[in-house]
Structure formats: C-alpha cells, structure tokens
Coordinates of all heavy atoms in Angstrom, one line a residue:
A1 N 10.8 -2.7 3.3 CA 10.1 -1.4 3.1 C 8.7 -1.6 3.7 O 8.2 -2.8 3.9 CB 10.0 -1.1 1.7
G2 N 8.3 -0.5 4.1 CA 6.9 -0.4 4.8 C 6.2 0.8 4.1 O 6.8 2.0 4.0
V3 N 5.0 0.7 3.6 CA 4.2 1.7 3.0 C 2.9 1.7 3.4 O 2.3 0.7 3.8 CB 4.3 1.7 1.5 CG1 5.7 1.7 0.9 CG2 3.6 0.5 0.9
D4 N 2.4 2.9 3.5 CA 0.8 3.0 3.9 C 0.1 3.8 2.7 O -1.1 4.0 2.9 CB 0.6 3.6 5.3 CG 0.8 5.1 5.4 OD1 1.4 5.6 4.4 OD2 0.3 5.6 6.3
V5 N 0.9 3.8 1.6 CA 0.1 4.4 0.4 C 0.9 3.8 -0.8 O 1.9 3.3 -0.8 CB 0.4 6.0 0.4 CG1 -0.3 6.9 1.3 CG2 2.0 6.3 0.4
L6 N 0.0 3.7 -1.8 CA 0.5 3.2 -3.2 C 0.1 4.3 -4.1 O -0.7 5.1 -4.0 CB -0.3 1.8 -3.5 CG 0.1 0.7 -2.4 CD1 -0.7 -0.6 -2.6 CD2 1.6 0.3 -2.5
S7 N 0.7 4.0 -5.4 CA 0.3 5.0 -6.5 C -1.2 5.0 -6.8 O -1.6 6.1 -7.3 CB 1.2 4.7 -7.7 OG 1.0 3.4 -8.1
Q8 N -1.8 4.0 -6.7 CA -3.2 3.8 -7.0 C -3.9 3.1 -5.9 O -3.4 2.1 -5.5 CB -3.4 3.1 -8.3 CG -4.9 2.8 -8.8 CD -5.0 1.9 -10.0 OE1 -4.0 1.8 -10.8 NE2 -6.1 1.3 -10.1
E9 N -4.9 3.7 -5.4 CA -5.7 3.0 -4.4 C -7.2 2.9 -4.6 O -7.7 4.1 -5.1 CB -5.4 3.6 -3.0 CG -4.1 3.5 -2.7 CD -3.6 4.2 -1.2 OE1 -4.5 4.8 -0.6 OE2 -2.5 4.2 -1.0
P10 N -7.8 1.8 -4.6 CA -7.3 0.5 -4.3 C -6.2 0.1 -5.4 O -6.4 0.5 -6.6 CB -8.4 -0.5 -4.2 CG -9.4 0.2 -4.9 CD -9.2 1.6 -4.9
P11 N -5.2 -0.7 -5.0 CA -4.2 -1.0 -6.0 C -4.6 -2.0 -7.1 O -5.5 -2.7 -6.8 CB -3.1 -1.7 -5.2 CG -3.9 -2.2 -4.0 CD -5.0 -1.2 -3.7
A12 N -4.2 -1.8 -8.2 CA -4.3 -2.8 -9.3 C -3.9 -4.1 -8.8 O -2.8 -4.2 -8.2 CB -3.6 -2.2 -10.7
A13 N -4.4 -5.2 -9.5 CA -3.9 -6.6 -9.0 C -2.5 -6.8 -9.5 O -1.9 -7.6 -9.0 CB -4.9 -7.6 -9.7
D14 N -2.1 -6.1 -10.5 CA -0.9 -6.3 -11.1 C 0.3 -5.4 -10.4 O 1.4 -5.3 -10.9 CB -0.8 -6.3 -12.6 CG -1.2 -4.9 -13.2 OD1 -1.6 -4.0 -12.4 OD2 -0.9 -4.6 -14.3
N15 N -0.2 -4.7 -9.4 CA 1.0 -3.7 -8.8 C 2.1 -4.6 -8.3 O 2.0 -5.4 -7.5 CB 0.3 -3.0 -7.7 CG 1.1 -2.0 -7.0 OD1 2.3 -2.3 -6.6 ND2 0.7 -0.7 -6.9
P16 N 3.3 -4.4 -8.8 CA 4.4 -5.1 -8.4 C 4.8 -5.1 -6.9 O 5.3 -6.0 -6.4 CB 5.5 -4.4 -9.2 CG 5.2 -3.1 -9.5 CD 3.7 -3.2 -9.5
L17 N 4.4 -4.2 -6.1 CA 4.6 -4.2 -4.7 C 3.7 -5.2 -3.9 O 4.1 -5.7 -2.9 CB 4.3 -2.8 -4.1 CG 5.4 -1.7 -4.5 CD1 5.1 -0.4 -3.8 CD2 6.7 -2.2 -4.2
L18 N 2.6 -5.6 -4.4 CA 1.7 -6.6 -3.8 C 2.4 -8.0 -3.5 O 1.9 -8.7 -2.7 CB 0.4 -6.7 -4.6 CG -0.4 -5.4 -4.4 CD1 -1.8 -5.6 -5.3 CD2 -0.6 -4.8 -3.1
S19 N 3.3 -8.3 -4.5 CA 4.0 -9.6 -4.3 C 5.4 -9.4 -4.1 O 6.3 -10.3 -4.1 CB 3.9 -10.2 -5.9 OG 4.4 -9.6 -6.7
A20 N 6.0 -8.2 -3.6 CA 7.3 -7.9 -3.4 C 7.6 -8.6 -2.0 O 6.9 -8.6 -1.2 CB 7.7 -6.4 -3.3
Q21 N 9.0 -9.1 -1.9 CA 9.5 -9.6 -0.7 C 9.7 -8.5 0.3 O 10.1 -7.4 -0.1 CB 10.7 -10.5 -1.1 CG 10.6 -11.6 -1.9 CD 11.9 -12.3 -2.3 OE1 12.8 -12.1 -1.6 NE2 12.0 -12.9 -3.4
N22 N 9.7 -8.9 1.6 CA 10.1 -8.0 2.7 C 9.4 -6.6 2.7 O 10.2 -5.5 2.8 CB 11.6 -7.8 2.5 CG 12.3 -9.1 2.8 OD1 11.9 -10.0 3.6 ND2 13.4 -9.3 2.1
L23 N 8.2 -6.7 2.3 CA 7.3 -5.3 2.2 C 6.2 -5.6 3.0 O 5.4 -6.6 3.1 CB 6.9 -5.1 0.8 CG 6.0 -3.9 0.6 CD1 6.8 -2.6 0.7 CD2 5.3 -3.8 -0.7
T24 N 5.9 -4.5 3.8 CA 4.5 -4.4 4.6 C 3.7 -3.3 4.1 O 4.3 -2.1 4.0 CB 4.9 -4.3 6.1 OG1 5.7 -5.4 6.5 CG2 3.6 -4.2 6.8
V25 N 2.5 -3.6 3.8 CA 1.6 -2.6 3.4 C 0.6 -2.3 4.3 O 0.0 -3.3 4.7 CB 1.0 -2.9 2.0 CG1 -0.1 -1.8 1.6 CG2 2.0 -3.2 0.9
T26 N 0.4 -1.2 5.1 CA -0.6 -0.9 6.1 C -1.4 0.1 5.5 O -1.3 0.8 4.6 CB 0.1 -0.5 7.3 OG1 0.7 0.8 7.0 CG2 1.1 -1.5 7.8
P27 N -2.7 0.2 6.2 CA -3.7 1.3 5.8 C -3.1 2.6 6.1 O -2.5 2.9 7.1 CB -4.8 1.0 6.6 CG -4.7 -0.5 7.3 CD -3.3 -0.7 7.2
H28 N -3.4 3.5 5.1 CA -3.2 5.0 5.4 C -4.1 5.5 6.3 O -5.3 5.5 6.2 CB -3.1 5.8 4.1 CG -2.6 7.0 4.0 ND1 -1.3 7.4 4.3 CD2 -3.3 8.2 3.8 CE1 -1.2 8.7 4.2 NE2 -2.3 9.2 4.0
V29 N -3.6 6.2 7.4 CA -4.5 6.6 8.5 C -4.6 8.2 8.6 O -4.9 8.7 9.6 CB -4.1 6.0 9.9 CG1 -4.4 4.6 9.9 CG2 -2.8 6.4 10.3
A30 N -4.4 8.8 7.4 CA -4.6 10.3 7.5 C -6.0 10.6 7.8 O -6.2 11.9 8.2 CB -4.1 10.8 6.1
W31 N -6.9 9.8 7.6 CA -8.3 10.1 7.9 C -8.6 10.0 9.4 O -9.7 10.0 9.8 CB -9.3 9.3 7.1 CG -9.0 7.8 7.4 CD1 -8.2 7.0 6.6 CD2 -9.5 7.0 8.4 NE1 -8.0 5.7 7.3 CE2 -8.8 5.6 8.3 CE3 -10.3 7.2 9.4 CZ2 -9.1 4.6 9.1 CZ3 -10.6 6.0 10.4 CH2 -10.0 4.9 10.2
G32 N -7.6 9.6 10.3 CA -7.8 9.2 11.7 C -8.2 10.2 12.6 O -8.3 10.0 13.8
T33 N -8.4 11.6 12.3 CA -8.9 12.5 13.1 C -10.3 12.2 13.7 O -11.1 11.6 13.0 CB -8.8 13.8 12.5 OG1 -9.8 13.9 11.4 CG2 -7.5 14.3 12.0

C-alpha cells in the first residue's frame, strides 16, 4: 500500500501503519498549487 494521508496528522506514535510491512507513506501534496 501507499498513502499520502493518515487519519490523524501528524500521526500518533502508536499509529499501526507506521510499523506496517510493505507500506509507503508520502507527504500529501494537495497544497502544491
């Protein structure tokens, strides 16, 4: 999986996705205009 958004940003230290295998988290660039 790849995500550029999480349910809480910045993420809580215990967010289970932060230690998940085969996951890429990238910055959300909706502000990129």
Side-chain angles (χ1 to χ4, degrees):
V3 301
D4 73 349
V5 289
L6 297 168
S7 62
Q8 176 186 337
E9 294 180 3
D14 63 348
N15 184 308
L17 291 182
L18 297 181
S19 59
Q21 298 175 21
N22 301 320
L23 175 74
T24 300
V25 180
T26 63
H28 189 65
V29 294
W31 57 269
T33 64

